[in-house]
Amino acid sequence: MDMELRHLRCLVAIVDAGSFTDAAIELGVSQAAVSRTLGALEGVLGVQLLHRTSRNVTPTTAGVQVLARARQLLSDADNLIREATTGHTRLRIGHAWSAMGRHTAAYQRRWAALRPDVELHLVRTNSATGGLAEGLCDLAVVRRPFDGERFASAAVGQERRYCALAADDPWAGRRSVPLADAATRTVLADRRTGTTTAELWPEGGRPVIEHTRDVDDWLAAIAAGRGIGITPESTASQYRRDGIVFRPLRHAPPVTVHLIWRRHDPHPATHAAVALLADLYREAAPRRRPGPARTRRR
């Protein structure tokens, strides 16, 4: 006979209720059924799990160990069932560094108002796909290249690049930093999840790049003066810290922000999630001033 969850539930019910009779009431079965189920579990494990007297029931030494594992297994099973049955009432959006940047709070508020039936969770994961490839989220915000065959995507906006500097860096007093000047410094970059590579500069004019492990390691290294960082605007918005300043990086291409999802298994709320984030980026985009009216020649 194989061990089943009902065997473990029976053991837990007997111990928690304090008697076979009360356990039978809680489980909605007969007292004889409780006795048979416990006996079957003891037969599978080959050990006695409970001491039975006319007044009470207590676990044996082996029973204490089995009881602890039984509670954990039952909890895991309940969580599995809950996740499977409520998957579409929750939307998990993963990210590696900075979620939606300065739009994060607005996104959360608007989502709660627009889709109160789908609970939003933001999941930070040090993964190139923001946890999507690992199954930790339903969609992910990414700012670096990804596998377009495996994942579907939508570009939702663009962000300027910024230079991150130690607060006491000689460049901290500048209003902005040219891309070419950054090539004269050691640039700190996260090889796995960051957006900065040597290809940002022309060949022959590239900086020394030192790799860090994640955003926290990156920030600590910059604050310590080990180098400078190049990052999208979202990082500057999300990680304002003492000891670090962010300055706009001039003459650098913007970073495109994508939402990506599993191509063959999209969450039902995917299109709503994409539309909301695209709206926020569009609303924040600087508007072009109308030029002077042209005189039409005749």
Side-chain angles (χ1 to χ4, degrees), residues 40 61 72 74 86 91 111 155 165 168 185 196 206 235 276:
T61 300
Q72 183 61 53
L74 291 172
T86 64
L91 178 66
W111 183 265
L165 306 155
D168 59 354
R185 302 285 298 272
T196 302
R206 293 173 176 172
T235 307
L276 176 56

Side-chain angles (χ1 to χ4, degrees), residues 30 79 83 90 108 121 152 154 167 211 220 276 295:
S30 66
N79 288 337
E83 289 181 6
R90 179 183 63 175
Q108 292 172 304
H121 291 265
H211 293 108
L276 176 56
T295 303

